[in-house]
Amino acid sequence: MDSWEKLHNFMKSFAAAVELNSRAAKQGCFVECVVLSAAVIDATLRMGLILKHQLDTSSNSLLDDLLHQEERDKIISEQKIYTMSLSNQIIDQATFDKLNNLYKRRNRVIHRYCISLITTKDVLDIASEYDELKHEVSAFVEKLEKEQIRLGVGMTSEGGTGDIADQVRDLALGKHGDDGLANALRNGI
């Protein structure tokens, strides 16, 4: 699989995660929101690292290891992505600290919900904090996109045609793997 195919597959997964996260929030599925918000933030920062790399190298080159990992490949964890994002000045120290704090609390939700004193209200609070942080991280990456457009460097281009929501739904369909499932998810079934 070439780099651009890896990017396309990554974007399908990213779109599906955004769509599923939105659905989970509307349905009050707090644990799912925590998991998917963490995935969306991770994906956003991976894109930020690629955009920054393209700006630094004045190229369109992609970082394959950030876009796709096979079972046998070296894992680049969320915490590693946070560290790389801080060291590449994609996020600031305060955001890095929030990400690490939420990562620990997310692990408590996932791994110790039944064996700790964590409450569903705690999970809701964590999901809400993740939602806020999702927007902060997106704003950092948006600055990189704007810089690529301003400099005419990298893969970001200005404009686009059509409704962005339709484009996200079309991308997500490929990740869901089945039209019926995708429609059921979108219709709240």
Side-chain angles (χ1 to χ4, degrees):
M1 179 178 346
D2 73 15
S3 294
W4 294 99
E5 188 176 358
K6 288 177 184 176
L7 175 64
H8 185 72
N9 287 332
F10 175 86
M11 294 308 296
K12 287 192 303 187
S13 299
F14 193 0
V18 167
E19 185 176 73
L20 290 171
N21 189 32
S22 175
R23 179 180 182 271
K26 287 175 188 165
Q27 294 184 348
C29 300
F30 311 134
V31 173
E32 195 172 345
C33 284
V34 169
V35 172
L36 289 165
S37 290
V40 168
I41 288 171
D42 177 72
T44 302
L45 290 173
R46 286 171 186 269
M47 283 306 305
L49 287 163
I50 291 167
L51 296 173
K52 179 75 164 82
H53 169 75
Q54 291 178 342
L55 285 166
D56 291 347
T57 60
S58 296
S59 72
N60 286 342
S61 69
L62 301 172
L63 301 171
D64 287 8
D65 56 339
L66 296 181
L67 295 172
H68 184 83
Q69 291 177 16
E70 293 287 339
E71 293 297 322
R72 64 189 174 280
D73 292 344
K74 180 181 176 219
I75 294 172
I76 301 176
S77 69
E78 285 175 67
Q79 287 186 303
K80 178 71 173 168
I81 293 296
Y82 302 161
T83 301
M84 292 169 66
S85 296
L86 178 64
S87 66
N88 281 280
Q89 301 175 330
I90 294 164
I91 57 172
D92 59 20
Q93 185 67 49
T95 303
F96 175 80
D97 293 342
K98 287 183 209 175
L99 286 166
N100 277 316
N101 178 297
L102 274 177
Y103 180 83
K104 291 174 190 165
R105 293 168 63 209
R106 182 213 66 174
N107 281 349
R108 190 168 168 225
V109 170
I110 294 169
H111 301 295
R112 295 190 303 281
Y113 184 82
C114 292
I115 59 171
S116 74
L117 297 178
I118 193 169
T119 65
T120 303
K121 171 70 168 86
D122 295 331
V123 177
L124 171 60
D125 293 342
I126 293 166
S128 296
E129 288 178 51
Y130 260 120
D131 189 60
E132 289 175 25
L133 198 50
K134 212 173 42 179
H135 298 292
E136 286 180 41
V137 168
S138 290
F140 283 114
V141 174
E142 186 177 322
K143 290 177 187 174
L144 295 170
E145 292 171 334
K146 287 179 179 178
E147 186 68 3
Q148 281 199 350
I149 291 168
R150 186 182 75 75
L151 296 173
V153 170
M155 66 182 166
T156 308
S157 61
E158 209 166 356
T161 57
D163 180 23
I164 190 71
D166 287 338
Q167 293 172 17
V168 169
R169 278 191 295 275
D170 290 346
L171 272 174
L173 177 61
K175 182 65 171 185
H176 294 317
D178 180 271
D179 289 347
L181 174 60
N183 288 327
L185 290 169
R186 290 176 186 148
N187 294 321
I189 297 171

